[in-house]
Amino acid sequence: MKIKCLILDDEPLAIKIIQKHLESFKNFEVVHTCTNPVEAFNLLSIETVDLIFLDINMPRLNGIEFIQNLDSPPFIIITTAYREYAVESFELDVVDYLVKPISLTRFMKALNKVSKLVHLQTNSLQYNTDRTLDHLKKQNHFFVKVNKKMVKIYFDDIQYIESLKDYVSIKTPDKDYITHYNLSAITKLVPKQKFMRVHRSFTIALNKVTAIEGNCIQIHDKMVPIGRNYVKEVKGKILSGFAV
């Protein structure tokens, strides 16, 4: 399966450089190129891609704002001449942050990250290939692979999920389950009405929140930080009594 790519950059030369790099990697396919964010946003409303190469400094809407306006972002690699947006970008769960000019070696490292994540998404639920994602979300549990066996975890037992680089820790009252997953991918497998991403490293169970102090959420004895890009939405949802 080829990984479908969209390149979004307001500089045609930058697009050509990325296209040239991608010619060496046969499992990646450029399906679209766009020179402005509005064009790309309209395209993504009717078509699906697996990966976006995204510039930061663009007219009308910058790369950070573009990500924030996507409901379900695909994998994203930032390609920019500016280093100062790295922390903010990683808070939005981008796969990598490449500073122009981009060497082929550094580009290859970023693609390797994407390949691993796509493989993870494709194969982590092989035991259940006859079921759709929608069906899984209607259930009260899911299975994750822990130490070479599939373990059943009930959604109501989960307090929060914490990113540990290439793994996540699923916290329950009785045990922490460590599984080889990406936080963004596993967040899509839990009911969105009960769980919420609050930080680049944390997804929480809304009904397990016991207090909010400053930009931190308390879940029993754990203080979970709220990322600055999530503060308004998180506090609004929790304080409105939305958690169920």
Side-chain angles (χ1 to χ4, degrees), residues 13-81:
L13 179 59
I15 291 176
K16 288 182 180 179
I17 290 172
I18 294 173
Q19 285 178 309
K20 184 66 177 176
H21 280 340
L22 284 170
E23 287 176 2
S24 302
F25 304 93
K26 301 306 179 185
N27 58 326
F28 289 83
E29 176 186 13
V30 178
V31 292
H32 294 289
T33 64
C34 297
T35 55
N36 73 78
V38 175
E39 177 190 2
F41 187 81
N42 289 333
L43 178 68
L44 291 172
S45 68
I46 59 173
E47 206 166 324
T48 301
V49 300
D50 304 304
L51 171 64
I52 300 176
F53 292 92
L54 178 64
D55 188 23
I56 291 283
N57 191 20
M58 294 181 290
R60 300 182 68 182
L61 197 71
N62 68 34
I64 299 296
E65 294 167 333
F66 178 78
I67 299 172
Q68 291 171 333
N69 279 281
L70 295 178
D71 289 333
S72 300
F75 295 122
I76 293 175
I77 294 175
I78 297 293
T79 58
T80 180

Side-chain angles (χ1 to χ4, degrees), residues 167-183:
Y167 292 80
V168 294
S169 172
I170 303 173
K171 175 70 174 178
T172 70
D174 302 320
K175 189 175 180 179
D176 294 356
Y177 297 93
I178 309 296
T179 183
H180 193 186
Y181 243 113
N182 167 266
L183 183 61

Side-chain angles (χ1 to χ4, degrees), residues 89-106:
S89 296
F90 280 116
E91 218 170 64
L92 292 171
D93 203 35
V94 303
V95 176
D96 212 336
Y97 191 96
L98 305 182
V99 179
K100 299 172 183 176
I102 303 165
S103 70
L104 184 59
T105 302
R106 184 65 184 86

Side-chain angles (χ1 to χ4, degrees), residues 106-231:
R106 184 65 184 86
F107 192 78
M108 190 184 307
K109 185 177 180 181
L111 293 190
N112 189 43
K113 288 183 182 181
V114 174
S115 294
K116 287 180 179 178
L117 290 171
V118 170
H119 178 78
L120 215 73
Q121 280 193 341
T122 304
N123 296 301
S124 289
L125 295 176
Q126 281 185 345
Y127 72 97
N128 226 346
T129 52
D130 60 324
R131 299 182 181 185
T132 65
L133 186 58
D134 286 340
H135 180 73
L136 284 172
K137 287 184 176 181
K138 290 176 183 176
Q139 295 187 141
N140 62 356
H141 66 274
F142 63 179
F143 282 85
V144 296
K145 194 171 186 178
V146 180
N147 294 329
K148 299 182 179 180
K149 66 179 179 181
M150 301 306 296
V151 177
K152 184 178 185 178
I153 302 177
Y154 287 95
F155 297 136
D156 285 344
D157 289 338
I158 299 173
Q159 296 175 349
Y160 59 86
I161 306 171
E162 181 177 3
S163 174
L164 306 173
K165 288 196 73 176
D166 295 330
Y167 292 80
V168 294
S169 172
I170 303 173
K171 175 70 174 178
T172 70
D174 302 320
K175 189 175 180 179
D176 294 356
Y177 297 93
I178 309 296
T179 183
H180 193 186
Y181 243 113
N182 167 266
L183 183 61
S184 180
I186 203 165
T187 299
K188 293 177 181 178
L189 296 179
V190 295
K192 65 180 181 180
Q193 72 272 22
K194 294 185 176 183
F195 291 84
M196 187 176 188
R197 183 79 173 267
V198 299
H199 187 272
R200 62 175 174 166
S201 298
F202 289 95
T203 290
I204 65 162
L206 291 166
N207 64 350
K208 298 297 192 297
V209 175
T210 53
I212 298 178
E213 183 178 344
N215 284 341
C216 286
I217 292 168
Q218 184 174 351
I219 298 179
H220 300 290
D221 59 350
K222 174 72 174 180
M223 296 300 291
V224 176
I226 306 174
R228 61 180 176 177
N229 289 309
Y230 299 88
V231 170

